[in-house]
Amino acid sequence: CVTVSVEHPELGRLYSMPTTFEVGDVGWEVVELELTEPVRLEGSLDPRVPRPVNNGKVRIIYRGGGGGDYSDPLVTGQADVDVAQDGTFVLENARPGECFVFALTEGWVVQRIRPTSVQEARIGLPEGATSADAAAALADLSPSGFVYPSVTLPMGPEPLVLGMEPTGSVEITVLGPSGPLAEVSANANPNYRVRRVGSNIVPWRDWSVTTDAQGRAARFEKLSAEVG
């Protein structure tokens, strides 16, 4: 997969769409890439998120390669943008193409969604399976198989609205051979996971606590759904 970004002296920054190709027997390939201008992405968080929004961030994760069957959704870059207190965000000079979206604010995280196809969900079906079999497999999919929302840029005239869900919390107790351990530092590492790409530690935050005299840690608050 290849994508190109160049700075034109008159037109400014130009991008090519991610293009997948196979190298021939001679070990090289001629690839023609069309350069396009960057686009503007406008969006807002779920209206359920209380305003003013505090410490809101959105990460755009550019996808390249693999085609529409999601066989190999390579990540080819990312960009972060702040969320305004009214819940809106704007990413200038975004690269055209498909991207995944992750968002986090105080007490809320982007909502993962049920895949719309067995290819996207990476569900293997037996030979001869029908559309009804595919629909049943998607309906039975557990939340662990849900995916982060994706969009293709440029979008239509309507701004992107990100569904959000409340973050979670957890409390731990640290025990040694003789009982609870006091003054022990503990860290949580929430992850966001893009299918067929892997997990990354959620940026922008630090989740650290210290146990009390009973070995109990103050609660890890405002954790995203996937915790490590």
Side-chain angles (χ1 to χ4, degrees):
C1 176
V2 62
T3 183
V4 172
S5 171
V6 299
E7 189 72 32
H8 192 277
E10 297 178 0
L11 301 178
R13 178 67 62 180
L14 299 174
Y15 297 98
S16 72
M17 296 284 283
T19 302
T20 301
F21 63 93
E22 294 184 4
V23 177
D25 294 337
V26 295
W28 56 270
E29 186 78 17
V30 176
V31 180
E32 294 185 3
L33 301 174
E34 180 181 355
L35 297 177
T36 61
E37 295 181 351
V39 299
R40 175 184 172 97
L41 172 62
E42 297 184 27
S44 64
L45 303 186
D46 195 318
R48 296 183 302 157
V49 177
R51 270 59 168 177
V53 172
N54 295 314
N55 298 323
K57 292 279 191 178
V58 173
R59 170 163 289 184
I60 304 299
I61 307 159
Y62 295 110
R63 174 185 182 268
D69 62 357
Y70 290 84
S71 59
D72 192 18
L74 304 174
V75 167
T76 58
Q78 61 189 32
D80 293 348
V81 62
D82 293 330
V83 178
Q85 289 192 324
D86 65 358
T88 61
F89 58 90
V90 177
L91 177 61
E92 304 283 1
N93 299 319
R95 195 176 72 201
E98 187 178 5
C99 56
F100 303 101
V101 185
F102 178 80
L104 181 69
T105 186
E106 290 291 333
W108 295 80
V109 65
V110 70
Q111 187 174 34
R112 291 177 296 169
I113 59 177
R114 187 183 300 275
T116 57
S117 69
V118 292
Q119 290 81 13
E120 184 182 8
R122 303 289 300 169
I123 298 175
L125 295 177
E127 185 176 352
T130 65
S131 58
D133 296 328
L138 288 173
D140 290 339
L141 192 66
S142 68
S144 64
F146 288 10
V147 296
Y148 289 108
S150 63
V151 296
T152 300
L153 304 177
M155 294 179 55
E158 295 298 321
L160 171 68
V161 178
L162 292 178
M164 303 287 284
E165 61 185 5
T167 53
S169 61
V170 64
E171 182 177 306
I172 66 171
T173 300
V174 180
L175 300 175
S178 58
L181 296 177
E183 300 298 321
V184 174
S185 296
N187 297 278
N189 295 298
N191 283 241
Y192 67 89
R193 179 176 57 188
V194 178
R195 294 184 67 82
R196 290 284 294 168
V197 173
S199 294
N200 290 274
I201 295 176
V202 174
W204 318 310
R205 302 282 194 277
D206 175 67
W207 288 268
S208 300
V209 296
T210 302
T211 59
D212 60 17
Q214 286 73 45
R216 291 191 299 268
R219 293 169 65 87
F220 290 105
E221 300 286 355
K222 303 172 183 175
L223 293 167
S224 61
E226 301 176 74
V227 181

